[in-house]
Amino acid sequence: MTSVIDLAVVRELRDIVGPAGCREDPADLEPFLTESRRLYRGVADLVLMPATTEEAAAIIGLCSRHGIAVVPQGGNTGLVGGAVARSTPEAPEIILSARRMADIRELDPDNYTITAEAGCVLADLQSAAAEADRFFPLSLASEGSCMLGGNLSTNAGGTNVLRFGTARELVLGLEVVLPDGRVFDGLRSLRKDNAGFDLKQLFIGAEGTLGFITAATCKLYPRPRGVATAVVALPDAAAAIALHSRARLALGDELIAFELMSRQALEFVLAYLPAAREPLARPAPWYLLLEIATARDQAGTEEELEDFLGDCLESGLVLDGVAARSEAQREAFWLLRHSISDAQKGGGASIKNDISVPVSRVAEFLGRATQQVTELVPGVRVVAFGHVGDGNIHFNLTQPPGMEAAAFVDLWDSLTGEVNAIAVDLGGSFSAEHGIGLLKVRELRRFRSGVELDLMRAIKQQLDPAGIMNPGKILGD
Ligand code: FAD
Ligand code: ZN
């Protein structure tokens, strides 16, 4: 027993959701207490899984009256400890999981919208859209388990931001249970709606600190008929930026993904993922994975990408390139990109960064950051990859061979501090797409101005004066 919640209140909470919506046994609690990076270990005695907005509202209302904190959770794939409960006898916390709220309430093909509940798994949303000949563009490596409410609460990015924007840009309406248990019903499906402040935006990217998202209405797009994917080899990172500018001019809005991989990143994938194959004949310092999607048919699309790459080869901008000739080959290319984080584990302990800079300054960032970390830790392996078309690099670091793993992880704060300072110096951000959670609270205080922090605190104080929604996340204690 880690928390002291009055037994009568526990009984009332149980009654709201019934036995199917309640977890209390330590073995059943386990999946809700571990997180994907194993940086934190959650502590809680009670997980509640409401099946409806009314149940969620009743739970939060009751918690608010009894001073019990609520930690929202979706697929628990977040990377910054945002969904980690830290219950203590003095300050009890419960986990509020959206996983039983997984209905698609409405898909309106003519309005190009889908209204779904917070517990909908992202891949299921994508499939529902595809069945209606529509496209839901949010796409992340965790899409098989992350959920819409988590995606919106972290303002998730992923691989199609270049063309369709982050999660925020896909939302037209939102339904949220506020910290006092009232429901903000903003589930409108309008593309034009200038009626005062755009309140839904407050809750998107708020990591559960301002309320519990129960449902959202999101934009859909036409389902692409043709998709073409290629991997190209580059002599240096500057070529990636030049290629990005050129690809956008030549391919326009058809360019939907533009992902960078360093040779070191690919080497880890080739070494530790049995299914991985070298994409090109000769190794190169950098690789790009490009994808275009069009309303035309497949053959025309492949030709368009190949023509573009042919021009780039001729002018010497790229060293080599290969376009996918089948869906299996396309998947093989994406597997290389999506497996980097996992494969990196094979090389030992790692330290992760998630920075963004203006696209035009990515090469400068990579040069400066690589030099800095190599000076600090000779032999450190830089595993740089990411959504370079958005200026977002996961500048991950793997321990030097032979170094003690724990000694390397001890350098987390100093190394990420240096890397983040370089990004910020270049006009960038220390948190491009993963959020703040518990992991980057200190960085937020370091890099954001007093005025910005004051505004955030004022909003938090106004919406959640008792501080019951996800305490300690983003702004700290
Ligand atoms: P959770 O982890 O459960 O929660 C995340 C945060 O949102 C927490 O603060 C939680 O309290 C809050 N929250 C969850 N549900 C709600 C709700 N209903 N109401 C209010 N608050 C809520 N992220 C990217 O942006 N881009 C990527 O490319 C990307 N790739 C990833 C790849 C892998 C392999 C993994 C493991 C993660 C990746 N992530 C990525 C991070 C993560 O998947 C995303 O942040 C995702 O959006 C989190 O969704 P979730 O449902 O798992 O949320
Ligand atoms: Zn990413």
Side-chain angles (χ1 to χ4, degrees), residues 280-294:
L280 293 161
R282 268 192 304 276
W286 294 95
Y287 299 86
L288 271 175
L289 191 161
L290 294 87
E291 188 157 277
I292 63 172
T294 75

Side-chain angles (χ1 to χ4, degrees), residues 17 37 63 97 130 156 170 185 215 270 311 346 377 406 411 418 437 462:
V17 290
R37 279 187 182 161
C63 285
S97 166
L170 300 172
D185 179 2
L270 294 170
D311 290 346
V377 186
L411 300 172
E418 296 288 342
Q462 195 59 41

Side-chain angles (χ1 to χ4, degrees), residues 158 337 387 392 394 433-434:
R337 165 62 187 85
H387 322 289
N392 176 194
H394 298 307
E433 61 174 6
H434 295 160

Side-chain angles (χ1 to χ4, degrees), residues 260-392:
L260 185 71
M261 299 180 275
S262 67
R263 178 68 200 173
Q264 177 66 76
L266 185 63
E267 268 174 17
F268 275 134
V269 176
L270 294 170
Y272 298 107
L273 187 80
R277 297 279 168 277
E278 191 77 71
L280 293 161
R282 268 192 304 276
W286 294 95
Y287 299 86
L288 271 175
L289 191 161
L290 294 87
E291 188 157 277
I292 63 172
T294 75
R296 283 195 309 281
D297 64 16
Q298 187 66 19
T301 313
E302 280 167 6
E303 228 164 67
E304 184 185 14
L305 188 59
E306 281 173 13
D307 286 352
F308 170 71
L309 294 178
D311 290 346
C312 295
L313 260 172
E314 238 168 68
S315 62
L317 188 56
V318 309
L319 300 172
D320 196 2
V322 54
R325 285 263 146 231
S326 63
E327 181 56 25
Q329 203 178 4
R330 173 177 174 262
E331 280 169 17
F333 288 169
W334 273 110
L335 185 70
L336 298 176
R337 165 62 187 85
H338 281 320
S339 305
I340 296 172
S341 276
D342 247 4
Q344 207 190 341
K345 290 180 191 148
S350 43
I351 292 176
K352 312 263 175 142
N353 290 289
D354 168 36
I355 68 89
S356 62
V357 292
V359 179
S360 49
R361 307 195 81 174
V362 167
E364 195 181 348
F365 165 79
L366 287 168
R368 277 177 62 182
T370 302
Q371 188 182 354
Q372 182 73 3
V373 297
T374 312
E375 268 169 28
L376 289 170
V377 186
V380 68
R381 288 166 290 173
V382 174
V383 183
F385 64 97
H387 322 289
V388 63
D390 314 323
N392 176 194

Side-chain angles (χ1 to χ4, degrees), residues 132-185:
D133 212 17
R134 299 291 180 265
F135 179 55
F136 186 61
L138 191 65
S139 177
L140 331 173
S142 55
E143 64 200 21
S145 44
C146 64
M147 295 171 186
L148 180 61
N151 297 147
L152 301 186
S153 298
T154 56
N155 185 25
T159 50
N160 291 338
V161 171
L162 182 66
R163 163 73 178 86
F164 299 100
T166 59
R168 182 186 300 285
E169 283 152 275
L170 300 172
V171 181
L172 295 174
L174 211 60
E175 183 186 83
V176 186
V177 179
L178 300 177
D180 61 6
R182 287 182 303 158
V183 176
F184 160 51
D185 179 2

